[in-house]
Amino acid sequence: PLRLELIIIILLLTNHHHLQLSLSFTNTKLSMSPLQHRSSLTTHPLRSSSNGNSAAAAANGSDDDNNNATTPVYTFGLLTDIQHAPIPDGHSFTGNARYYRHAMEAAAFAARHFQEEGVDCVVNMGDIIDGKCADVGRWGGDVDCIIDEVETNSDGDKISVGHDAIDNVLQSLSAYSGRILHTYGNHELYNLSRERLKEKLGIPFTMEETGDLVGYYTYLLENRSNNNNQKNEDVEQSPSSSSSFMKLRALVLDTYDLCLLDRCPDSSHKRHRAHEILSANNHNYPHEENSPEGLEGVANRFVAFNGGVDEPQLEWLRQTLDTARSSGEKVIVFSHQPIHPKSTWPTCLVWNYDEILEVLRSYNDVIIASFSGHAHKGGYVRDEESGIHFRSVEAVLESSPPIRTYAIVDVYEDKLVIRGEGDCLSDVYDLDHMKVDAKV
């Protein structure tokens, strides 16, 4: 009898636990604050925001409702906010622990995993190095780095430690032989110009009529059956995927299009616009330009370490999505800064997130999801109006050794499966919103 009672108690507890999981993780349009996202998933890292299937089951092809192929159509690697610097471990200005050297080792480990998996491409969503590279002596960096902290190249330009730091991280990532799509964040701009980032990261910056460089672009993934893990050399016009499978385009936004960083104070139209935006929306500017003190809600985003998207890029976004729609392509959007206000803390949002979101919602038959970095603890929401998934991915930088944080994303016809590693949370995203009629 005692044994039977114990079994009954265990079953009751198990059923109660299962009920909690069902309530927490199966709502298709449930928005979570970043804190809820973190606390509710710490104990149960495998969850589903759609139909209750675990990420592990989906990755293994288990699907009770339909007979979709068990092999993903595409798979890509994902990592963000490596923020390597040749300095001792430290903390952010808000007190979060940061592991500057381990971050590079974690990136190398991720690259080896991506290579073993044979992913179709890798997306790095920015902040590959830390702003502290610009002054390593202040932060206890190596003597050799301090001596060479500022050097001059053949053109007479000053190059900080960040120059070598980026090279070191790229060397760590070189274990993956396929295409790596980079975007950039505020921390790169604390160290290097956009011209240098174009050379280092291969971001196809173009000069707009204003004379300002911008770095938005797209990449059409090759079909898994055709690419054999070969590198695609042309960013804008990659070979099309087989018509027998989903055609998938990665769309990389430049959310530091409008910003103060690395824009000429005297001649840059975009810097002038950024100055106007911050002056009108943050009373702390310019003396405490990175402080949101006294701001409320989404107004917290108006700080100088953020940026915005100018009208030419918005128009390019509309045209690119129109072309994708007419070509039968599906799109995943990548950016350094988050776009949806319920996917993360407001201090990390793009300044004009509302304008971007309005465009994306008009193409919910095309856009599968939007991934971003910048908000180191991560976050998620499924947009109620469009059904598009918005995920802020956890940072490599803030995972203590030996934890290595990154993700592998499997794209199926009917779902995305996020295989989180380290502190990156696994998830399953239902793509039922893709079945709606195209909006005109």
Side-chain angles (χ1 to χ4, degrees):
L2 177 61
R3 179 182 178 88
L4 179 61
E5 288 175 2
L6 287 173
I7 292 173
I8 291 173
I9 291 172
I10 291 170
L11 286 173
L12 286 172
L13 288 173
T14 303
N15 288 335
H16 176 66
H17 181 65
H18 177 73
L19 176 62
Q20 288 181 320
L21 282 174
S22 299
L23 290 173
S24 299
F25 303 144
T26 61
N27 193 310
T28 58
K29 295 186 178 180
L30 175 66
S31 67
M32 283 189 186
S33 70
L35 183 59
Q36 290 172 320
H37 178 79
R38 167 65 53 178
S39 62
S40 64
L41 298 177
T42 300
T43 308
H44 318 292
L46 294 178
R47 74 180 180 106
S48 169
S49 63
S50 51
N51 57 13
N53 296 328
S54 73
N60 291 327
S62 175
D63 193 336
D64 295 332
D65 298 326
N66 49 63
N67 292 318
N68 290 334
T70 58
T71 302
V73 183
Y74 299 98
T75 296
F76 61 87
L78 199 58
L79 71 172
T80 189
D81 296 271
I82 299 169
Q83 288 184 226
H84 165 65
I87 59 176
D89 294 341
H91 294 81
S92 68
F93 293 107
T94 56
N96 293 322
R98 293 184 164 181
Y99 305 93
Y100 299 102
R101 297 179 186 275
H102 171 66
M104 187 165 67
E105 188 279 326
F109 184 91
R112 292 192 295 270
H113 191 181
F114 297 150
Q115 183 69 16
E116 291 169 1
E117 287 274 340
V119 300
D120 297 303
C121 72
V122 169
V123 184
N124 161 42
M125 294 186 295
D127 281 359
I128 196 171
I129 57 173
D130 194 84
K132 292 179 180 178
C133 288
D135 190 2
V136 294
R138 177 185 175 189
W139 305 104
D142 293 341
V143 174
D144 290 341
C145 291
I146 296 170
I147 292 173
D148 298 328
E149 185 173 333
V150 178
E151 56 187 28
T152 303
N153 69 2
S154 58
D155 298 324
D157 297 330
K158 289 184 177 180
I159 302 175
S160 74
V161 172
H163 182 274
D164 291 332
I166 283 187
D167 287 345
N168 292 336
V169 178
L170 291 176
Q171 179 60 37
S172 297
L173 292 174
S174 67
Y176 173 67
S177 63
R179 187 57 177 266
I180 301 180
L181 307 178
H182 294 279
T183 186
Y184 69 100
N186 50 313
H187 281 269
E188 285 93 349
L189 295 178
Y190 296 143
N191 289 275
L192 297 171
S193 67
R194 287 173 174 81
E195 289 87 351
R196 296 294 172 214
L197 293 177
K198 182 176 183 178
E199 295 173 6
K200 295 288 186 185
L201 302 180
I203 299 173
F205 285 98
T206 57
M207 187 170 291
E208 290 185 352
E209 292 181 1
T210 60
D212 292 302
L213 287 175
V214 288
Y216 47 88
Y217 62 99
T218 71
Y219 177 85
L220 185 64
L221 277 71
E222 291 188 73
N223 182 264
R224 176 176 290 274
S225 63
N226 295 331
N227 68 8
N228 294 319
N229 202 35
Q230 295 298 309
K231 191 173 181 178
N232 189 326
E233 297 295 341
D234 190 337
V235 172
E236 290 295 343
Q237 297 181 1
S238 306
S240 297
S241 303
S242 167
S243 60
S244 62
F245 291 97
M246 174 197 301
K247 292 186 286 186
L248 182 63
R249 184 172 294 276
L251 189 154
V252 180
L253 292 176
D254 182 348
T255 57
Y256 288 88
D257 178 351
L258 294 172
C259 75
L260 299 179
L261 303 171
D262 189 48
R263 298 289 193 205
C264 179
D266 299 322
S267 61
S268 171
H269 162 77
K270 293 180 184 293
R271 192 187 193 284
H272 179 67
R273 288 272 291 109
H275 169 74
E276 291 180 332
I277 290 169
L278 290 174
S279 296
N281 293 283
N282 188 342
H283 58 270
N284 301 300
Y285 178 81
H287 303 295
E288 297 290 339
E289 61 183 21
N290 285 323
S291 173
E293 184 177 355
L295 304 180
E296 297 182 0
V298 293
N300 279 272
R301 71 190 187 277
F302 292 113
V303 286
F305 57 77
N306 288 335
V309 170
D310 206 356
E311 183 54 41
Q313 186 177 175
L314 287 173
E315 181 57 32
W316 169 85
L317 176 61
R318 296 183 192 98
Q319 292 176 359
T320 301
L321 293 172
D322 272 336
T323 301
R325 175 181 281 163
S326 62
S327 302
E329 298 169 0
K330 301 306 178 185
V331 171
I332 298 179
V333 177
F334 299 94
S335 60
H336 182 63
Q337 290 177 252
I339 296 169
H340 200 291
K342 293 184 179 180
S343 69
T344 186
W345 286 268
T347 48
C348 296
L349 287 170
V350 186
W351 287 340
N352 58 331
Y353 75 85
D354 49 343
E355 292 182 295
I356 305 169
L357 192 55
E358 181 180 5
V359 174
L360 300 187
R361 283 170 169 164
S362 298
Y363 295 89
N364 66 330
D365 58 305
V366 175
I367 299 171
I368 294 174
S370 170
F371 290 93
S372 62
H374 199 44
H376 289 189
K377 299 303 180 185
Y380 167 80
V381 70
R382 189 173 194 185
D383 183 49
E384 292 184 1
E385 181 175 331
S386 66
I388 298 171
H389 301 276
F390 290 83
R391 172 69 182 268
S392 180
V393 178
E394 294 79 359
V396 176
L397 173 67
E398 294 186 2
S399 294
S400 61
I403 300 170
R404 305 169 181 109
T405 294
Y406 58 94
I408 293 176
V409 181
D410 295 318
V411 184
Y412 295 84
E413 293 284 350
D414 63 340
K415 60 179 173 283
L416 288 184
V417 176
I418 317 297
R419 290 187 273 150
E421 298 287 344
D423 289 327
C424 184
L425 304 176
S426 295
D427 215 331
V428 180
Y429 300 153
D430 199 336
L431 304 186
D432 54 1
H433 69 284
M434 308 297 293
K435 301 173 185 177
V436 300
D437 293 333
K439 295 182 179 179
V440 180

